[in-house]
Amino acid sequence: MRDDLVLVTGGTGFIAQHCILALLAQGYRVRTTLRTPGREAEVRAYLKVGGAEPGDRLSFVTADLSDDAGWGEAAEGCAYVMHGASPTPSGDYASEEEWIIPAVEGNFRVLRAARDAGVKRVVLTSAFGAVGMGHKPMTRPFDETDWTELNDKVPPYQKSKTLSERAAWDFIATEGRGLELAAVNPTAVMGPALGADYSHSIRLIKQMLEGIPGCPKVNSGFVDVRDVADLHLRAMTDPAAKGQRFLAIAGQSLWMREVAAILRARLGDAAAKVPTKEIPNTVVRLGAAAGNPALKALVPFLGVTMNATSEKAIRLLGWSPRSAEESIIAAAESLLRLGLIDGA
């Protein structure tokens, strides 16, 4: 029912803010959580860039995923919860435990609060990282039946997403007491930035526009944040979404060289610094062996196809995403418009 109150966790997050915009546009009232209360004005400023000035239709509660305080208040009176907040470990070289334990326990806090408040359904923002990592090379696109195989090649962030999503499904099965769950697993999230705090994936576009030396042979799926928000709304209310996970990808996955070609073809002079050459895998591996952390993080992905399919979301929920090219260009144009490209 429109005018229902929906809790969106982590209101400073990129996907969360687009979910708030989508909910407000559909007539819902929204409550969102912040770890620190002083960021309300910042969130409202980002939403204004997105075209919304919700006034008292948006409210804020202070709650941290690492602490029980505030979650009962946050969930009280809500019909639905969109849970995308994710704890950020301290330090550049955080241990796996620093990633995994807060992610799993944070999910439990949100799910318990939702259950105890009588929430109908939680939509969990998971990730492709819980689906497509640790596998031998695939001859078919990844789908929702796939789970990341936890092994030494899977980075801590993706391990945390895998274990926290599995823990959420286990909670629903054993302690949910009627609480419903759906999960959305986006690939690399593009689309319009609302300010300087945007998705990790959009940093790739920023780096390309600023002139990185070349494109590593890395493959990824892409999806627009506006379509991710739309999929969250569909998963929130459609009966067919109960107990289901949904991959979010627009079309086929792309190699970084193909992303660069899109930018150069569509942006003209603004893409003058975008690289045209692919960096050989041997060069990336040598840089990683020499201690470059950014290159070291790329090594497990070199030459690996990460194609996936959103056939399930399209068939069950009527989801219709814009093209990967459109979402990549929307990200780039927003960075240029907001003055976030150095030297532009």
Side-chain angles (χ1 to χ4, degrees):
M1 186 175 70
R2 303 294 161 82
D3 200 48
D4 277 338
L5 180 60
V6 181
L7 173 65
V8 179
T9 66
T12 57
F14 180 59
I15 293 174
Q17 288 172 2
H18 278 276
C19 284
I20 292 169
L21 288 169
L23 287 162
L24 291 168
Q26 292 294 319
Y28 291 98
R29 293 175 296 124
V30 179
R31 179 183 293 151
T32 191
T33 61
L34 300 173
R35 271 186 307 214
T36 51
R39 298 186 73 180
E40 177 177 339
E42 174 191 332
V43 173
R44 289 190 182 274
Y46 276 46
L47 297 175
K48 187 174 180 179
V49 173
E53 294 187 70
D56 61 6
R57 294 187 65 78
L58 174 65
S59 56
F60 294 80
V61 171
T62 303
D64 189 315
L65 288 169
S66 64
D67 195 305
D68 289 340
W71 289 107
E73 179 190 349
E76 186 178 352
C78 292
Y80 305 99
V81 173
M82 291 185 182
H83 175 41
S86 193
T88 304
S90 60
D92 293 333
Y93 302 97
S95 66
E96 284 194 359
E97 289 74 18
E98 271 193 276
W99 281 105
I100 292 165
I101 294 170
V104 171
E105 292 184 352
N107 276 4
F108 286 154
R109 286 188 170 92
V110 173
L111 291 167
R112 276 195 294 267
R115 177 198 65 196
D116 295 348
V119 166
K120 178 176 174 59
R121 182 179 294 173
V122 173
V123 181
L124 175 68
T125 311
S126 187
F128 177 75
V131 174
M133 302 294 171
H135 298 274
K136 292 175 182 175
M138 298 280 275
T139 55
R140 61 164 178 83
F142 288 102
D143 63 31
E144 291 83 359
T145 64
D146 296 309
W147 283 89
T148 284
E149 296 281 348
L150 296 179
N151 56 44
D152 292 343
K153 292 185 178 180
V154 177
Y157 172 76
Q158 283 83 359
K159 280 188 181 180
S160 76
K161 281 295 188 184
T162 306
L163 290 168
S164 60
E165 189 191 335
R166 282 201 178 276
W169 288 114
D170 289 345
F171 177 92
I172 292 297
T174 59
E175 301 178 53
R177 299 205 295 267
L179 176 65
E180 297 175 4
L181 181 66
V184 175
N185 298 70
T187 51
V189 180
M190 293 287 157
L194 302 174
D197 201 355
Y198 43 79
S199 77
H200 177 77
S201 304
I202 290 179
R203 287 183 208 164
L204 167 69
I205 306 302
K206 176 178 165 68
Q207 290 165 350
M208 284 187 168
L209 291 172
E210 290 175 349
I212 54 172
C215 299
K217 194 174 181 182
V218 173
N219 186 264
S220 179
F222 293 92
V223 65
D224 195 288
V225 68
R226 294 164 293 185
D227 296 320
V228 175
D230 176 62
L231 185 51
H232 277 71
L233 259 70
R234 292 169 187 266
M236 183 177 88
T237 56
D238 195 314
K242 176 185 175 183
Q244 302 293 327
R245 56 201 310 242
F246 296 97
L247 268 166
I249 182 173
Q252 300 288 311
S253 61
L254 299 170
W255 296 96
M256 293 305 103
R257 190 175 56 191
E258 295 176 294
V259 175
I262 288 169
L263 294 170
R264 292 183 73 90
R266 291 283 299 272
L267 293 178
D269 290 346
K273 295 180 183 177
V274 172
T276 56
K277 294 180 180 178
E278 194 163 71
I279 302 174
N281 291 349
T282 51
V283 173
V284 176
R285 289 195 170 97
L286 283 170
N292 184 311
L295 295 180
K296 189 175 180 182
L298 292 177
V299 168
F301 305 104
L302 291 174
V304 180
T305 301
M306 291 291 185
N307 202 24
T309 175
S310 282
E311 183 275 335
K312 181 177 176 181
I314 292 164
R315 172 174 46 84
L316 278 187
L317 304 183
W319 187 59
S320 181
R322 47 183 65 79
S323 70
E325 179 172 333
E326 189 179 342
S327 68
I328 288 164
I329 294 303
E333 289 177 341
S334 69
L335 293 174
L336 291 162
R337 188 172 57 248
L338 294 166
L340 297 173
I341 301 300
D342 292 342

